[in-house]
Amino acid sequence: MIRDLGRYLLFTFRAFTGMGYVLKRPRLILKQIYYLGLLSLPVISFTAIFMGMVVALMVTYQLEVGLPKFYVGATGGRTILIELAPVIISLIVVARVGSNITARIGTMKVTEQVDALETMGINSVHYLALPIFIAGTIVVPVLVIYGNLISLVAAAVSAKVIADIPIADYIFGLRRYVILNDVLGGMLKTILFGLIMGSVSSYYGFRSELGAEGVGKAVTQSVVTSAALIMIFDFIVAFWVFRV
Amino acid sequence: MIKVKNLSKDFPRQKVLTDIDFTAKDGRRVLILGKSGSGKSVFLKCILGLLVPDTGYVEIDGTDVSALMAKPRLKRKLTRVRQNIGYVFQGSALLDSLTVEENIDLALEFKRLKKSERDRIINEKLKLVGLSSKVRRKYPQQLSGGMKKMVAIARAIASEPKYIFYDEPTTGLDPAMVVRITKLIIELSERLDITSLIVTHDMGLARRAGQDVYFLKNYTLSRTKKSTRLEELYE
Ligand SMILES: Nc1ncnc2c1ncn2[C@@H]1O[C@H](COP(=O)(O)OP(=O)(O)OP(=O)(O)O)[C@@H](O)[C@H]1O
Ligand SMILES: [Mg+2]
């Protein structure tokens, strides 16, 4: 466990030593950004809509105790922006993209493509992993912004349809009670989540053992580890930024 | 020159190479023969540190590469040695997210050539292995097994390395291609004075191209007289 952590940190550190190499080849990064974004957009749109609807339902349910209607915008918005969208969307990206990255690099390793890079005098970790780290830290926050917007709209619409809460009240609640700190705190941690997703999934890809079975095992470990790390860091950030 | 001394490599629960001594003199075509699963591919990878040997000394062109493999810190130096080596992998190992031309281009990256020059080399090498430049924009998935092998050979010779490792360069090729590749291997070594390590099960290629012969059996590599009938070695 401790040794694994050490290996992972060393791997991540080594990847970053290739920054000069990768920055001279922006196409490597752009390709990954395109690929990560494309893979996750459909599933994230879908998740964000349902997330918004569920939040609207849960908050309107609580209005029964006599809370004012703008409360849907205030509490619902905060729940989405601070916690739900950043965490759920990051986890979805891990499931959709992180697993894919591990499988892709693992397959490259098993089919000697990683060896081929190395014999061509190219550092495979710089070439394959670092662009993914960078793309992850850019794409995950962008996807979360996108997910935020979709969820907020979905929540507004379903609050109107289900509980007849005027859109104007919803927007009033949002604007009155959601502060910049909420949005930024929610966003900042997603940069970290993106880095976790990118580095953990490449790490397990490189570590996967010979054979398709080995790659399968690596994918499982990669997803579980990324998800666990995201939850841990989510708690740390919450403790740090949002403690009253 | 490539020199290997006392090289051993085991995998968990499996012995593969024990105390290997091996020499490939400059400009020679050295055959490495042996039954399937005897460890030929593992041996080639150990020379370059793609697999790190458990023990042993490896020297390429006067550089002690076994010392470089052991320390990730020295990776840059190891990389520089590897740039002198072309490697045709048994399974071709083309990068499947790149087109044929991008695959070959990658092998030229470290040379820092102009785009037009690289273009010329890509066409030249494809022609040399008998492929038309129509395949340049294709992805490996769109090629047959034999065509992949030829692209892999084109990629390995693209940077005109001093050493070329061929791991079964002719499996999956039609007879005409086998003849062509056999000639190419001989011609490259003679024209450019390339040192070739050739792993093969193809006795035609072995007889025509081989100059020095090693046979891998019972975890060790032994030098064989050229007069020995190659087939007898397998009995
Ligand atoms: N990465 C690895 N991990 C574990 N075992 C391995 C690994 N690579 C090879 N082996 C084992 O080492 C032995 C030698 O394999 P190798 O691929 O070198 O054989 P080979 O002589 O090249 O055979 P072939 O002629 O079929 O290509 C095999 O038994 C193989 O299962
Ligand atoms: Mg082999």
Side-chain angles (χ1 to χ4, degrees), chain B residues 138-199:
Chain B
K138 293 207 170 162
Y139 284 90
Q141 304 87 284
Q142 301 169 296
L143 304 177
S144 75
M147 288 162 88
K148 277 188 219 170
K149 204 64 179 245
M150 293 184 297
V151 175
I153 295 172
R155 182 177 70 178
I157 63 178
S159 65
E160 308 204 331
K162 251 185 104 170
Y163 300 89
I164 304 184
F165 292 14
Y166 300 94
D167 197 347
E168 308 202 4
T170 56
T171 38
L173 302 187
D174 66 55
M177 281 313 307
V178 171
V179 171
R180 183 180 197 121
I181 295 304
T182 306
K183 279 190 185 147
L184 181 67
I185 291 174
I186 296 171
E187 195 188 297
L188 283 172
S189 85
E190 282 172 358
R191 192 160 52 86
L192 302 171
D193 204 33
I194 288 169
T195 311
S196 319
L197 269 53
I198 307 166
V199 168

Side-chain angles (χ1 to χ4, degrees), chain B:
Chain B
M1 185 148 90
I2 296 177
K3 251 194 255 173
V4 175
K5 283 215 169 71
N6 302 323
L7 184 144
S8 299
K9 174 76 187 170
D10 294 336
F11 291 112
R13 291 180 302 277
Q14 189 168 10
K15 243 170 110 164
V16 183
L17 303 171
T18 307
D19 255 348
I20 302 269
D21 288 326
F22 172 85
T23 312
K25 293 215 182 82
D26 283 345
R28 299 291 285 179
R29 295 186 297 274
V30 184
L31 288 178
I32 297 163
L33 306 177
K35 289 187 182 166
S36 290
S38 56
K40 304 180 296 295
S41 300
V42 169
F43 177 59
L44 290 188
K45 286 181 190 169
C46 282
I47 298 178
L48 293 181
L50 296 175
L51 288 170
V52 181
D54 300 334
T55 58
Y57 173 81
V58 181
E59 179 186 306
I60 301 177
D61 247 355
T63 307
D64 175 2
V65 285
S66 38
L68 302 183
M69 301 169 194
K71 299 215 179 68
R73 208 157 41 76
L74 301 174
K75 178 84 184 252
R76 208 174 285 240
K77 280 192 183 163
L78 183 59
T79 298
R80 217 161 300 134
V81 176
R82 286 172 176 169
Q83 287 170 348
N84 290 317
I85 290 156
Y87 197 132
V88 180
F89 287 87
Q90 189 166 358
S92 299
L94 301 177
L95 273 82
D96 49 28
S97 59
L98 302 181
T99 61
V100 166
E101 63 181 2
E102 288 168 335
N103 261 285
I104 303 176
D105 205 27
L106 210 51
L108 297 168
E109 185 174 79
F110 74 95
K111 291 206 139 183
R112 298 166 200 281
L113 302 168
K114 279 217 267 326
K115 175 96 178 71
S116 58
E117 178 64 4
R118 299 200 314 261
D119 248 8
R120 187 190 63 71
I121 296 175
I122 293 170
N123 274 333
E124 177 194 293
K125 303 302 174 195
L126 282 175
K127 207 166 143 208
L128 215 52
V129 298
L131 286 172
S132 87
S133 52
K134 267 189 234 147
V135 301
R136 286 184 59 145
R137 296 273 152 75
K138 293 207 170 162
Y139 284 90
Q141 304 87 284
Q142 301 169 296
L143 304 177
S144 75
M147 288 162 88
K148 277 188 219 170
K149 204 64 179 245
M150 293 184 297
V151 175
I153 295 172
R155 182 177 70 178
I157 63 178
S159 65
E160 308 204 331
K162 251 185 104 170
Y163 300 89
I164 304 184
F165 292 14
Y166 300 94
D167 197 347
E168 308 202 4
T170 56
T171 38
L173 302 187
D174 66 55
M177 281 313 307
V178 171
V179 171
R180 183 180 197 121
I181 295 304
T182 306
K183 279 190 185 147
L184 181 67
I185 291 174
I186 296 171
E187 195 188 297
L188 283 172
S189 85
E190 282 172 358
R191 192 160 52 86
L192 302 171
D193 204 33
I194 288 169
T195 311
S196 319
L197 269 53
I198 307 166
V199 168
T200 187
H201 293 301
D202 175 349
M203 288 302 114
L205 167 67
R207 260 191 297 273
R208 265 180 229 121
Q211 293 175 319
D212 302 331
V213 185
Y214 281 87
F215 197 84
L216 185 53
K217 193 176 179 179
N218 300 331
Y219 321 118
T220 60
L221 202 54
S222 34
R223 183 93 190 252
T224 311
K225 280 197 228 64
K226 190 71 208 292
S227 56
T228 321
R229 267 191 66 242
L230 295 178
E231 283 84 350
E232 277 170 22
L233 293 167
Y234 290 85
E235 282 155 14

Side-chain angles (χ1 to χ4, degrees), chain A residues 51-63 71-72 84:
Chain A
M51 189 160 58
M53 296 199 302
V54 169
V55 168
L57 267 179
M58 294 320 295
V59 181
T60 48
Y61 176 67
Q62 292 171 49
L63 292 189
Y71 196 76
V72 180
L84 273 186

Side-chain angles (χ1 to χ4, degrees), chain A residues 38-173:
Chain A
L38 198 72
L39 272 185
S40 27
L41 263 186
V43 57
I44 283 178
S45 310
F46 179 83
T47 314
I49 290 172
F50 276 87
M51 189 160 58
M53 296 199 302
V54 169
V55 168
L57 267 179
M58 294 320 295
V59 181
T60 48
Y61 176 67
Q62 292 171 49
L63 292 189
E64 276 188 340
V65 290
L67 293 164
K69 288 182 173 175
F70 68 78
Y71 196 76
V72 180
T75 307
R78 279 186 123 175
T79 310
I80 290 173
L81 290 168
I82 296 176
E83 188 56 33
L84 273 186
V87 172
I88 292 193
I89 287 176
S90 299
L91 290 177
I92 297 273
V93 175
V94 164
R96 181 70 189 91
V97 179
S99 59
N100 195 285
I101 292 168
T102 307
R104 200 156 43 104
I105 296 182
T107 307
M108 292 184 73
K109 187 149 182 247
V110 172
T111 57
E112 302 177 319
Q113 294 177 51
V114 171
D115 286 339
L117 278 172
E118 292 285 333
T119 47
M120 288 188 276
I122 292 166
N123 185 315
S124 56
V125 175
H126 294 172
Y127 183 87
L128 293 174
L130 186 57
I132 293 173
F133 291 17
I134 299 172
T137 55
I138 296 171
V139 170
V140 172
V142 171
L143 288 172
V144 170
I145 293 176
Y146 168 79
N148 279 340
L149 292 175
I150 302 264
S151 287
L152 289 177
V153 171
V157 171
S158 55
K160 169 81 184 136
V161 172
I162 297 165
D164 201 27
I165 296 190
I167 303 272
D169 282 16
Y170 177 86
I171 292 176
F172 170 78

